[in-house]
């Protein structure tokens, strides 16, 4: 069975990776948002819900069966072992969900997978190429301030420090999109769209 090319899109907070994915979507390319999908699965996947309760206990869900995200965060924030246990039950469910999703789009030339955390293409994953969206930290901070006015500067800096560095991210990249407001972003995306469409036709 023919498989579409699988292209990963990643970037630090405020880099604009979600906007890049919206452009690909507007071009008719299916986009899998791994982080959003993981949130959906924690609410709706009965196997995953049972696993989360097994790891964290019944308080992981409220009385209406909704994922108690704030409480879970307090449980895993300072406990790396517990966070690893939680990820060990979430990641396989997201992976099987991704595989099923790719299968539903087998007729497409290529698909996009968006995630904040990503490994290089072929590094134990099914990605063919990885796009890294980058922008200077000062530009990213200003974007986050405008988008999330409730976040303090300290909080924004803390989030950026917790993520991998731009240099580490570039090492994953097969392609880099510069979203620093000095170059137009759309022509860069359209150029990659042409490359991936042509590669899939080979």
């Amino acid at each position: 069975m023919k498989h579409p090319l699988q292209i990963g899109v990643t970037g630090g907070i405020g880099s604009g990776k979600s906007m890049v994915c919206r452009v690909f979507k507007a071009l008719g390319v299916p986009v899998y948002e791994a982080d959003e999908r993981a949130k959906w699965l924690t609410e709706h996947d009965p196997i995953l819900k049972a696993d989360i309760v097994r790891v964290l206990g019944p308080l992981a869900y409220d009385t209406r069966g909704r994922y108690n995200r704030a409480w879970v965060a307090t449980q895993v924030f300072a406990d790396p072992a517990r966070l690893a246990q939680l990820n060990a039950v979430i990641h396989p469910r997201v992976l099987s969900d991704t595989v099923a999703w790719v299968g539903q789009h087998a007729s497409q030339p290529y698909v996009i997978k968006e995630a904040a955390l990503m490994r290089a293409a072929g590094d134990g994953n099914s990605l063919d190429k990885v796009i890294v969206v980058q922008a200077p930290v000062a530009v990213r901070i200003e974007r986050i301030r405008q988008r999330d006015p409730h976040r303090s500067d300290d909080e924004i800096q803390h989030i950026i420090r917790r993520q991998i560095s731009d240099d580490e991210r570039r090492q994953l990249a097969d392609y880099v999109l510069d979203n620093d407001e000095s170059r137009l972003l759309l022509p860069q995306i359209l150029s990659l769209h042409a490359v991936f469409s042509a590669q899939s036709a080979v």
Side-chain angles (χ1 to χ4, degrees), residues 36-55:
E36 287 305 311
R37 195 64 190 153
K39 287 178 187 171
W40 188 90
L41 290 166
T42 58
E43 297 275 0
H44 298 94
D45 181 332
I47 295 172
L48 180 54
K49 289 176 82 166
D51 282 342
I52 289 171
V53 169
R54 182 172 50 74
V55 169

Side-chain angles (χ1 to χ4, degrees), residues 3-8 98 102 110-113 126-129:
H3 287 292
L5 282 175
Q6 298 182 41
I7 312 296
T98 313
V102 170
Y110 73 99
V111 296
I112 295 282
K113 296 179 181 178
S126 58
L127 297 174
D128 294 294
K129 300 288 180 187

Side-chain angles (χ1 to χ4, degrees), residues 2-201:
K2 183 178 177 291
H3 287 292
L5 282 175
Q6 298 182 41
I7 312 296
V9 172
T10 193
I13 185 171
S15 63
K17 72 177 186 302
S18 297
M19 182 173 69
V20 166
C21 287
R22 283 199 295 274
V23 175
F24 277 114
K25 211 179 262 188
L27 292 167
V29 181
V31 176
Y32 184 92
E33 295 162 351
D35 302 333
E36 287 305 311
R37 195 64 190 153
K39 287 178 187 171
W40 188 90
L41 290 166
T42 58
E43 297 275 0
H44 298 94
D45 181 332
I47 295 172
L48 180 54
K49 289 176 82 166
D51 282 342
I52 289 171
V53 169
R54 182 172 50 74
V55 169
L56 295 177
L59 291 178
Y61 289 86
D62 66 18
T63 52
R64 294 170 64 183
R66 290 176 307 194
Y67 190 51
N68 197 343
R69 204 168 300 282
W71 181 85
V72 169
T74 65
Q75 299 304 298
V76 301
F77 184 72
D79 190 340
R82 211 152 193 218
L83 177 60
Q85 282 182 301
L86 181 63
N87 285 336
V89 297
I90 292 176
H91 289 166
R93 297 305 294 168
V94 174
L95 183 60
S96 60
D97 185 67
T98 313
V99 170
W101 178 85
V102 170
Q104 290 161 12
H105 296 92
S107 62
Q108 296 288 333
Y110 73 99
V111 296
I112 295 282
K113 296 179 181 178
E114 178 198 357
L117 289 175
M118 193 166 282
R119 295 201 297 265
D123 180 18
N125 61 37
S126 58
L127 297 174
D128 294 294
K129 300 288 180 187
V130 170
I131 300 168
V132 169
V133 186
Q134 65 178 20
V137 171
V139 173
R140 289 164 55 195
I141 288 172
E142 190 50 41
R143 284 179 189 151
I144 300 161
R145 276 194 194 123
Q146 291 179 13
R147 186 187 73 192
D148 303 335
H150 62 283
R151 292 193 194 278
S152 68
D153 282 4
D154 281 351
E155 193 180 348
I156 293 169
Q157 293 280 8
H158 179 66
I159 292 168
I160 288 172
R161 279 196 302 271
R162 275 205 339 244
Q163 296 186 331
I164 65 170
S165 71
D166 288 344
D167 284 343
E168 289 173 296
R169 225 178 259 111
R170 274 192 291 272
Q171 288 172 15
L172 307 176
D174 296 292
Y175 304 96
V176 173
L177 290 175
D178 287 308
N179 189 22
D180 57 4
E181 294 168 16
S182 71
R183 289 180 65 195
L184 288 172
L185 186 61
L186 187 58
Q188 297 178 66
I189 297 172
L190 290 174
S191 171
L192 288 184
H193 179 58
V195 168
F196 300 143
S197 299
Q199 280 181 5
S200 70

